[in-house]
Amino acid sequence: MNNQKLLGIELCRGLAAYAVILVHSGDENWGLATDPSAISFRLNFYFGVPFFLAVAFYFLTAKPEIAYSAKFWRSRFDRIVIPYIIWTVIFLILRIIIFAASDRTDRLQELLTDPLSIVFFGGASYHLYFLALLLAGTSLILLVPLLQKLKVSNLGLLLLSILSAALYNWLEISGNSFHLGPDVAFKSLLTTWQIDLQAHPLLRLLLVEIAWLIKCLPYLCVSLLLHQIFKSKKISQQSIKIGSIGLLIAINIGGQLLLPKSFKEIILAYTLLLVGISISSYFKHPIVNNIIASVGACSFGIYLIHPLIMNIVKSLVDKISPELTNSISIPSMLALSIPCFVISWLSVAIAKNKLATDRLPGFRL
């Protein structure tokens, strides 16, 4: 299994980007009444961010020798840090303008009095935390040469995957995972110890980074396990296809009841990854291939730009069909998410083509 761009994975990247948009189109932060059926419908689309993590770590661990490569870390800076800085500035400026224009001084003060969140936790916009999370998780690649030196077997990697997923599950159910909004981690533990994180910014930063590393660790272990299994060549492509699709169905039928949240999240993400790998050979039509490749290549940019497009689409839907946006329902989520996805995709694709034409290096959407 080589580390090439597979069209099935690119298609799944696009699906994951749309899933994120649909989840955010039904966000309770809109302050509207929510139809219970919309909540149930939205629960089926929480695979977006876990899938992005699974893909990132799958390709990240394909060449473990890059762990100590200066070129690799420069590429991480270009692909994660630079977009993070640019989009932080964009959303920060936009929010300052909006809050000032609408005389929401409380929100403006809340935003500007937490620079630690803006700089390190994606506080300029709720979705930017993913880039900071991914950057923190990328540092786990430094563990791979050590695991290789120890010659950890498939069974050992399986045990590490289970243990790390269990640790992540504890983090979630104990209330100690990263919380968007207050942008803190280990909140439950620190409440018990009566520690005020606002008075200890470095401790707050350290604990968030630890929580993110715990979240990413099972993705590292599972990715390493998959690569070792593929290298053994004991499993055929047909077996991967049948097994992954069967597992996907089984998880959706019984996973809600039988699996802890973190285990379901990780298994579902990697099942979708395996489905993407297994269906890649079936895409033969050049036009279809180009569309899928474009959606996959633009998925990161779609994720970054979609909150801005979402607000524009919502204002348009408000004018065209105001009854749709009076509450959160399945039709309202579809009315917001579908045009938001299409417009975000086209916007990113046009921008990427423009940047490629102008030959501007170092910036990737």
Side-chain angles (χ1 to χ4, degrees), residues 147-214:
L147 294 173
Q148 285 187 321
K149 189 175 180 180
L150 294 174
K151 297 182 179 179
V152 180
S153 65
N154 288 357
L155 179 59
L157 285 174
L158 177 60
L159 290 174
L160 286 174
S161 299
I162 294 172
L163 290 173
S164 59
L167 178 60
Y168 171 38
N169 189 65
W170 166 82
L171 193 74
E172 289 285 320
I173 64 176
S174 65
N176 288 305
S177 60
F178 175 72
H179 291 272
L180 274 173
D183 295 334
V184 296
F186 293 94
K187 185 178 180 180
S188 177
L189 193 62
L190 292 170
T191 300
T192 303
W193 291 348
Q194 297 182 337
I195 296 177
D196 181 12
L197 281 179
Q198 298 302 326
H200 301 86
L202 291 181
L203 177 62
R204 179 187 174 196
L205 175 60
L206 177 63
L207 292 178
V208 169
E209 295 298 325
I210 291 173
W212 282 344
L213 290 175
I214 291 174

Side-chain angles (χ1 to χ4, degrees), residues 98-278:
I98 292 170
F99 291 156
S102 57
D103 199 27
R104 298 167 70 182
T105 55
D106 55 331
R107 293 296 305 276
L108 183 59
Q109 184 177 7
E110 179 185 346
L111 175 67
L112 298 179
T113 54
D114 194 1
L116 189 72
S117 175
I118 294 172
V119 175
F120 294 104
F121 309 142
S125 181
Y126 57 87
H127 70 306
L128 293 178
Y129 86 95
F130 177 72
L131 278 74
L133 164 67
L134 187 57
L135 184 63
T138 300
S139 64
L140 290 173
I141 191 68
L142 298 172
L143 296 176
V144 177
L146 175 62
L147 294 173
Q148 285 187 321
K149 189 175 180 180
L150 294 174
K151 297 182 179 179
V152 180
S153 65
N154 288 357
L155 179 59
L157 285 174
L158 177 60
L159 290 174
L160 286 174
S161 299
I162 294 172
L163 290 173
S164 59
L167 178 60
Y168 171 38
N169 189 65
W170 166 82
L171 193 74
E172 289 285 320
I173 64 176
S174 65
N176 288 305
S177 60
F178 175 72
H179 291 272
L180 274 173
D183 295 334
V184 296
F186 293 94
K187 185 178 180 180
S188 177
L189 193 62
L190 292 170
T191 300
T192 303
W193 291 348
Q194 297 182 337
I195 296 177
D196 181 12
L197 281 179
Q198 298 302 326
H200 301 86
L202 291 181
L203 177 62
R204 179 187 174 196
L205 175 60
L206 177 63
L207 292 178
V208 169
E209 295 298 325
I210 291 173
W212 282 344
L213 290 175
I214 291 174
K215 180 181 177 72
C216 292
L217 186 57
Y219 289 93
L220 177 84
C221 295
V222 175
S223 294
L224 289 171
L225 177 61
L226 282 180
H227 284 300
Q228 287 201 177
I229 292 174
F230 290 150
K231 285 178 182 177
S232 67
K233 297 182 180 179
K234 293 180 180 178
I235 300 179
S236 66
Q237 288 285 337
Q238 186 69 11
S239 298
I240 293 173
K241 179 174 68 175
I242 295 173
S244 59
I245 294 174
L247 186 58
L248 183 64
I249 294 172
I251 289 173
N252 279 287
I253 293 175
Q256 292 283 2
L257 297 175
L258 300 176
L259 290 172
K261 179 180 179 294
S262 63
F263 281 82
K264 182 194 173 187
E265 170 189 308
I266 295 164
I267 293 173
L268 187 58
Y270 278 97
T271 301
L272 189 58
L273 173 67
L274 293 174
V275 169
I277 292 171
S278 63

Side-chain angles (χ1 to χ4, degrees), residues 35-45 330 333:
D35 188 332
S37 64
I39 297 175
S40 300
F41 179 69
R42 192 178 61 171
L43 286 174
N44 295 306
F45 292 87
I330 294 176
M333 287 193 295

Side-chain angles (χ1 to χ4, degrees), residues 76-87:
R76 292 299 91 185
F77 183 86
D78 287 348
R79 292 176 181 270
I80 300 176
V81 178
I82 291 179
Y84 178 79
I85 293 171
I86 291 173
W87 286 100

